[in-house]
Amino acid sequence: MAVLAVATGVGVVIDVRTTGDRLDEQAEALLADNLRVATALVVDERDQLRTAMRFNVQNLQLRTAGGIEVDAELRRQISLVQRNLGTDGMALVDRDGAVLAAAGRAPADGAFRGDPQDPAAVTLGRTPTGTPAELVGVPLDAGAWLVAVTTTTDARAFDLRRKLVGNEVVLVQDGMILGSTAADPAVLADAAQRPEAIHPLTIDSQPALLGFAPLGDDSWIGVATPRLLSGLEGDLAVTRLWVFLGLVAVTLLGGNVLIRMATRPLAELTETAEAVRRGDRTRPFTARSDDEVGQLAETLEAMRTALDDQLTVISVQADAIRRATQRIVTARDAERRRMAQDLHDGVQQQLVMLRLRVGMLDPTTTAEELEDLGREVERVIQGLRETARAIFPSILADRGLTGALYSVAAASRVPITLRMDPDPLPRLSEAIEAGAYFIISEAVANAAKHAGASRVRVRALLDHERVAVVVADDGRGFDVGVEADGSGLQNLHDRAVALGGIAHVHSVPGDGTAVAAWIPLRRPSVGGALQKEEHRGHAAVEVVRLAEAELAEDGVGVLLDGPLADDQGVGDR
């Protein structure tokens, strides 16, 4: 009996160690996968940035006679490229790395030296203030380069973390931590000195494995992957001990049966975890008991369900944004063609006639004819102003959304009651101000042109999360179900969706029309978009109550539903 007991004990110890080794191997394999994904994300960001820069380079107009001439127009073009691409900075440098012109953060002189033989290379440099930065360049004429500046900070680490759900990210250069998502970056300092190794550590009381992948010379990206199954080894040892004592008290055969019964749930969890790691998101973690292993199975199943919901949200929202973007591009091209035709048929013809009249002037021309000619010039000027305002109103850039809305109210043929909260509205980002302005102006234009309205109410409300706009008229109304696919309504929806918001149109024939939209001040993360749904208790997406007290009198439905249907979540199937 003693020999059998010792043999059984040795078997238990070996089984525990084997299981622990398998868990460690799976944790390291998961870390390796996350590092590959993180590296691919960084490389993909660089490639996309370089592609966008090559596209924008076509619009730069360089004068290279006797050297590169830098003037105000060239600086404006570089600033426009920087805003379009959303980089921390954009600079024009010569072949020696000297900065000729810049917008935003600029690299230090000599920090970037482009290699025409390897234009895809990435330079790790610093700004004049010493901030580390990643420099991506595109060659131009006369040996010049257009250089995009991306600073390496915590913000960039958090941006990568949003794409690596459940993992901490650290950016290291020359052994120094430049950006981190960890609450206490000091715990990563020793590991940053030895990026070639895998480091087990504890982050926020959670065991994790930290590994690094190279991004360039002495530049690394680190990913800390939680070891979700690390606590099982101790629990498993206690369970095996009781099983071992039972084996000694009963019989060798009964003990063997008990061991198999105790290990099967863990083996199933391990097999399911491996299947999920390989990409099988539909395989559930099944809780067969109420002990620690059963609780772990329930926790893992909740994590799997939440992950699947988030991936579903990402897929649905990505498809919606892609379709909206395509429609916006098509509408923009059509508008450009319309404006070109209007200029050809309107202002151009007026200028031709004006030129003929000017050519006919002679000393016998009367004062009345000159006054009439002056009035014709004024009409041409007014036509040009109206065309410029249709493209982009200058008052929106100069005075913000408040001034632009007052301008819309003043120019409207239909009386407009304008209300803002607060009044005046503070300045917002260019994209949000432009989106809100064009949604309101298009809705007002529709009310005046198609609805036969005698009064229009415009409201703009701002809180710490979003800006909400409402345009309501007393016109003839229409059947939304019949005209829901019209280009005008679709443009309103696409403008809001492109900025991460929602637009809703409420109309009844004979009872007017109301357009309501909200635009978030910041893009919501996937985790922030998943709210608890009262309907069934499952995860829902972006169900928002928008200014109920303000909109009740207009009869506007104020529950705006996001793109994910109720039965698309994992828990609803």
Side-chain angles (χ1 to χ4, degrees), residues 359-394:
M360 297 173 62
L361 293 177
D362 56 34
T364 64
T365 302
T366 66
E368 289 79 4
E369 291 175 330
L370 291 177
E371 291 179 359
D372 183 62
L373 184 62
R375 287 190 294 270
E376 183 65 24
V377 172
E378 287 296 329
R379 284 193 291 270
V380 172
I381 294 174
Q382 182 62 27
L384 289 174
R385 287 173 178 169
E386 292 177 356
T387 301
R389 186 182 303 113
I391 297 174
F392 193 90
S394 60

Side-chain angles (χ1 to χ4, degrees), residues 517-535:
W518 68 261
I519 301 172
L521 300 183
R522 301 177 185 83
R523 282 277 187 168
S525 66
V526 173
L530 294 174
Q531 305 294 332
K532 296 305 292 181
E533 176 188 24
E534 295 296 336
H535 177 51

Side-chain angles (χ1 to χ4, degrees), residues 269 285-288 292-302:
L269 289 183
F285 291 90
T286 304
R288 302 187 183 278
E292 290 84 354
V293 177
Q295 294 174 7
L296 174 64
E298 293 176 354
T299 301
L300 292 176
E301 176 62 14

Side-chain angles (χ1 to χ4, degrees), residues 9 19 77 101 107 138 161 193 291 304 334 346 348 381-382 403-404 418 436 476 533:
T19 303
Q77 293 176 11
V138 172
R161 180 191 181 185
Q193 301 297 323
D291 59 6
R304 184 196 67 81
Q348 179 175 325
I381 294 174
Q382 182 62 27
L418 178 61
R476 64 177 61 94
E533 176 188 24

Side-chain angles (χ1 to χ4, degrees), residues 509 534 554 572:
E534 295 296 336
D554 297 325
D572 297 329

Side-chain angles (χ1 to χ4, degrees), residues 460-502:
L461 303 93
L462 175 69
D463 59 25
H464 64 283
E465 293 182 351
R466 57 184 169 263
V467 57
V469 299
V470 180
V471 179
D473 65 65
D474 60 355
R476 64 177 61 94
F478 62 93
D479 188 343
V480 176
V482 174
E483 303 185 29
D485 294 331
S487 61
L489 300 181
Q490 189 63 62
N491 287 343
L492 295 176
H493 178 267
D494 289 344
R495 286 187 184 277
V497 169
L499 294 172
I502 293 174

